[in-house]
């Protein structure tokens, strides 16, 4: 029975990774071809953050990770809601992969100025070496690092995030300290 459960866990994990890869590849390809609709609208950012955090509750619980939502003041942003949701989902998914059990992932927003908001996803994970940081958002230098429970990624999620953030008039970046954690952040316009 124990062996059967282990095999099923491995199959589930492989299926999830394959689905993520396929989803990211298809979305990225549609984006590159220009066939992905770009429909900016005003929407409440905290609502999208809460929706995406809800998707990862079970996975976080399975690793003993606390998800903290610091989005208290619901600012309206002007962007493509689906693209922003994809960016937030990818950043939370990555944070879960690279955060140690019993760690924390915090997501929140900060008003930058009258016209822009900064969204951040901060984790207490393994961090990223400086040499790797330089290539995280480059398609020609896809970086694949195993997570804290040997999870693997596609290397396309962050590239897709950058494409979507730039398309919405924002910027994306990361700060990280190996062994301490990482903070990914991106900006969005309010109008």
């Amino acid at each position: 029975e124990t062996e059967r459960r282990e095999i099923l866990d491995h199959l589930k994990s492989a299926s999830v990774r394959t689905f993520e890869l396929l989803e990211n590849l298809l979305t990225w390809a549609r984006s590159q071809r220009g066939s992905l609709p770009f429909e900016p609208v005003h929407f409440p950012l905290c609502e999208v953050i809460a929706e995406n955090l809800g998707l990862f509750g079970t996975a976080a619980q399975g690793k003993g990770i606390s998800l903290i939502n610091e989005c208290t003041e619901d600012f309206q942003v002007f962007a493509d809601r689906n693209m922003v949701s994809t960016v937030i989902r990818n950043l939370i998914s990555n944070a879960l992969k690279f955060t140690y059990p019993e760690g924390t992932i915090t997501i929140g927003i900060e008003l930058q100025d009258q016209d822009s908001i900064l969204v951040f996803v901060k984790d207490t994970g393994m961090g990223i070496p400086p040499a790797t940081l330089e290539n995280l958002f480059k398609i020609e230098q896809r970086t694949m690092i195993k997570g804290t429970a040997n999870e693997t990624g596609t290397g396309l999620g962050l590239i897709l995030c950058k494409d979507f953030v730039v398309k919405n008039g924002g910027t994306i970046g990361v700060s990280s300290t190996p062994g301490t954690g990482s903070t990914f952040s991106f900006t969005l316009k309010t109008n």
Side-chain angles (χ1 to χ4, degrees), residues 15-30:
S15 298
V16 167
R17 284 193 311 270
T18 303
F19 176 77
E20 286 175 354
L21 173 61
L22 182 59
E23 184 177 43
N24 281 336
L25 279 171
L26 290 173
T27 304
W28 183 76
R30 288 177 60 207

Side-chain angles (χ1 to χ4, degrees), residues 65-110:
I65 295 172
S66 299
L67 296 177
I68 300 168
N69 185 351
E70 289 187 349
C71 193
T72 55
E73 191 171 343
D74 205 2
F75 291 104
Q76 296 278 321
V77 294
F78 184 71
D80 184 293
R81 185 180 176 121
N82 290 330
M83 289 183 180
V84 171
S85 186
T86 298
V87 171
I88 292 169
R89 193 168 47 253
N90 266 294
L91 294 180
I92 294 170
S93 176
N94 282 350
L96 275 170
K97 285 178 195 166
F98 300 108
T99 298
Y100 296 108
E102 308 309 318
T104 60
I105 297 170
T106 305
I107 186 166
I109 60 175
E110 297 172 1

Side-chain angles (χ1 to χ4, degrees), residues 100-149:
Y100 296 108
E102 308 309 318
T104 60
I105 297 170
T106 305
I107 186 166
I109 60 175
E110 297 172 1
L111 186 62
Q112 291 292 100
D113 56 43
Q114 186 175 338
D115 298 321
S116 68
I117 288 176
L118 178 89
V119 181
F120 65 88
V121 178
K122 180 179 181 178
D123 66 59
T124 58
M126 56 197 297
I128 305 165
T132 305
L133 279 176
E134 298 172 17
N135 299 318
L136 282 180
F137 300 103
K138 297 177 183 173
I139 186 72
E140 64 277 1
Q141 298 286 327
R142 284 193 318 152
T143 305
M144 308 251 273
I145 302 169
K146 290 200 178 216
T148 57

